[in-house]
Amino acid sequence: MRNEGGIWRTLSIPGVVWLVLFVVVPAYAVVAVAMGQIDSLLQPVPQWNPIDWNVGFVKEAFTSVLPGGTYWPATRNTIVFVAVTVVLCFAIGYPVAYYVARKAGRSKGLLLLLIFLPFWVSYLMRMLAWIGLLAPDGYVNVVLGWFGIGHTEWLSGNPYSVIAALTYGYIPYFILPVYAGLDRIDQRLLEASRDLGASAARTFLRVTLPLSWPSILAGSVLIVLPMFGDYYTNDLISGSPHTNMLGNSVNLLVQGGSQKNLGAALVLVLMTILAIGMLYYLWETRRQQEKLAS
Amino acid sequence: MTAATGPAATIGGHAGGEVELIGLEKRFDDVVAVDRVDLEIASGEFFSLLGPSGCGKTTTLRLIAGFERPTGGDIRLDGASLAAVPPDRRPVNTVFQNYALFPHLNVLDNVAFGMRYQKVKRAERERRAKEALELVELGDYAKRRPHQLSGGQQQRVALARALVLRPAVLLLDEPLGALDAKIRRALRVELKALQEEVGTTFIFVTHDQEEALSMSDRIAVMHEGRVDQVGTPREIYEGPATLFVADFLGVANVMDVEVVTSDGRGCRLRVGERELRAECDFLGSGAASAVVRPERLRVLPHGESGENFIPGMIDRTIYVGSNLQVMVRLANGGLLQASVPNDGADLESHAQGAPVSVHVPPDALRILAPRG
Amino acid sequence: MSRLIDPWGRPRWLRLTTWAYIAWSLVPVLAAIVFSFNDGRSRSVWQGFSTRWWWGDPNLSVFHDPIYTNALVHSLELAALDMLIATPLGFLLAIGLSRWRGRGSGSANFLMLVPLTTPELAMAVSLLLVFTQLTIIPFTWVALGTTAQVIGQVTFSVSYVVVIVRSRLASLGPEYEEAARDLGASARQSLQHVLLPLLLPAAFASTLIVFALSIDDFVVTQYMSAGGETVTIPMLLYANARGAATTPALNAVATIMVIVTLVGVGGAYLVLRWFGHRSGEAGGEAAGQMGMDLTGME
Ligand SMILES: Nc1ncnc2c1ncn2[C@@H]1O[C@H](COP(=O)(O)OP(=O)(O)OP(=O)(O)O)[C@@H](O)[C@H]1O
Ligand SMILES: [Mg+2]
């Protein structure tokens, strides 16, 4: 409204300054360390001036995540674990979201409360819960014993446990947007489809599923992003280097101490991969929106 | 809303309230929402902007209120340009289409809201707000919240909230649009009475022709961002200036005719084989359109003849209660719709296929230059 | 009709899946809570009921062992500071960004989204490097520890506040503000007398979400920490969950965290419902919104 733009900009200033100081500058610090040098005590010497950047660490990081490199196993684990987890989240989460959004009837309120509950329980607490159950003398082994399945080591380097834990940990974040997407679908569209002669199954395949596709994508992005930086699930559920993911590698390099340069370079590699993924996501959602708008 | 001389006196309009739109234009990127509109609205007038959806009524109103900046032209209030005046400094108030009553304030505080910014003392604010509520007969609802009121009551709170500021001009954007048909009709009468009582200039936006015709002193019919015609309800209904206006205001029969002769006061037309006389100020000759309202046509038994009678055959008769809609097929293939009062006579004479004579009174014909 | 299908019936297997999912998602947590009352030292084998890990044991129970009490206090302290800083910062930013057009507004909008679309680990690494490597003011003022932890938590919390407040702003639309302007309020007055009161429920909901985010945060808090004084409950869980010597007191402290969060959320739900009641909006919606907003991506 007229020349009052100033007041709105003024309101934004504190937040923007904060974000510049603690998002932009730190991001630049990562670049500076990744492109910097290392001193005789193995401490990083950041290079703030782009003219003197050293691309050695970044090159090393790039080759190390490719097949044959030091971190290839971590890359491979990350890809496999993340992919399987997304598939599992879809396979379990979609029916749940669908039921709650469209078929729950009078119990919808209660079900919503119950599927929201895990959000308010810390992720680490939920991992702790499984550690007790999966312990060598824990109840999972006890119950499996009743079926004659012998003693299993779940908590040392077992990739299945890691995938199960990731699925358990992240599935609420997948269900939520999918639920919201399914809940938003106009009931009249489904009625129209049935009215035009499509069976319930065909209506689902040709109307419901395509209309919920954007929310499935959103849910997937929501769980994939944090999994690329996840080191705690592995540390808690496996503790073995065999199941390391990229997040573990970064954490070890940066917090473990001696190779912060390479750690920073690895973060750059990670962000590049994710940026490509995000661009695809944005392009795909725009395409979906245009399809619906026209 | 009668006998409210007291409250009406405190609310009563601001002197003036004369609005002039001069070449007013508003573009949104590639859409021209308001296209060089010129209007003069007199002080104390009940003026309606009438037109179909998307013709630019709301945009015109928002320009006058100051929410949109014109891309061309000027708006003057009592001779002074409003171009540089922000909405809160304009002596103009709005009754929004969905009322926009503040949900966090009760009815009284909603009505008293604007007086805060006019530096009215607290006690005075409360007194005037209460009076305004009395005026709209909601005195007992002061402590309620907006969501506890019916649609019609909310509308009246919105009205009180705007009028209590004694604006020079009150803008109303389809204020009856959200209400059901019965309440609408009742509020129409009340709103008109209120306007006469307070004497404020009302600029009223609607797409309902009946509403505009029954309430307004004058109407501007808008079409694709332009004003097609300005006039009193009667001028507009009976003397539409364009085919669009004729068509938009109720049902109109449009006939392709040929003007044979005209002398500035009357003219002769040819419709198929027949000749008709019309009262018109149309000069010249050639192809034109003739518009006639269904209720002006008279359907008589076959055989009646004389000036301005056209023979035809009944194509269809639709019973609508208070009258009959009779569709008459003419010899040249054209169809005329006539509205015949339901006087209780038997419907046989209007049965399908019956031959009839249609009388077109010369003063009912309106001659317009042909389309395009 | 050879097959009898009830067209009004609900698909049974879907219902079964849903309830199985709910059991799967909640039973392990309940089990962990139950184990905090275990009589023995084990966190995986039930040895009878006792409250020794809660308050019975004079040295090792949650309320007596300083490791737990310190972590509890520090967690709450960080949450309070995060709420105090992130809510007003994000609230103003949301209002500003929703109206500010012109130079810089696009970048500001983009910047606001960065913390939501970056793995927390990347943020944690970047903050660690900037506080340990950059030797200019104001970064030299910040040492690892409580200050750095608060900064880190505020940085990602702000974006959530912005998302929540903006979604509320979007649902309000421009009409109330226009009505206020029409009635003579200036831009600042309409902000103060109309927009702020109407945004109060959103501000309140976002404060609560900031609280929950802070209490549950692990990665950034760990990276910004400096020694025993700055350990939070999630950090304790991470460090001790696998420890052979760890007692069910760890389960007890985790349970306290869950209870604190749930009580906060439940209370917030009631308050929001009351807000909703007053202005005539559906009460459940605001609370449902809280769940939705947690994801921040919608
Ligand atoms: N903010 C805007 N941005 C772009 N185009 C707009 C905007 N506001 C209105 N328009 C366009 O301007 C034209 C006129 O709109 P306006 O709202 O004035 O119509 P209206 O006559 O009030 O219609 P209705 O009876 O449906 O309310 C429409 O084509 C509309 O799409
Ligand atoms: Mg309109």
Side-chain angles (χ1 to χ4, degrees), chain B residues 57-58 97 173-174 205:
Chain B
K57 307 179 297 284
T58 297
Q97 183 161 9
D173 191 358
E174 308 211 15
V205 159

Side-chain angles (χ1 to χ4, degrees), chain A residues 8 46 64 92 101 106 111 124 154 168-169 187 206 223 232 239-240 243 270-272 286:
Chain A
W8 308 118
S64 71
I92 302 168
R106 284 155 61 94
L111 286 173
L124 293 186
W154 296 107
Y168 183 79
Q187 180 72 28
R206 295 197 43 198
I223 63 177
Y232 32 92
S240 149
T243 54
L270 213 63
M271 291 310 293
T272 312
R286 172 159 306 179

Side-chain angles (χ1 to χ4, degrees), chain A residues 137 168 222 231 235-236 251, chain C residues 25 44 222-223 238 242 297:
Chain A
D137 57 359
Y168 183 79
L222 215 54
Y231 60 96
D235 285 352
L236 288 170
N251 183 45
Chain C
S25 72
S44 49
Q222 189 202 28
Y223 267 73
Y238 174 78
R242 293 295 298 273
M297 291 284 295

Side-chain angles (χ1 to χ4, degrees), chain B residues 62 65 67 86-90 92-94 96 98 100-104 110 113-114 116-117 145 147 161-162 165, chain C residues 172 175-187 189-190 192-195 197-198 276-281:
Chain B
R62 289 172 59 82
F67 299 129
D88 45 313
R89 300 259 156 265
R90 296 188 183 195
V92 166
N93 291 110
T94 308
F96 292 84
N98 42 12
L101 297 179
F102 302 121
H104 62 295
N110 260 287
F113 187 90
R116 249 174 121 153
Y117 309 109
R145 293 216 169 235
H147 69 98
R161 181 175 76 174
L165 298 176
Chain C
L172 283 177
E175 61 187 63
Y176 294 118
E177 229 186 320
E178 283 182 355
R181 297 302 303 276
D182 187 70
L183 295 166
S186 67
Q189 285 163 330
S190 79
Q192 188 184 340
H193 299 316
V194 175
L195 223 46
L198 289 175
H277 243 69
R278 263 190 356 158
S279 55
E281 290 163 38

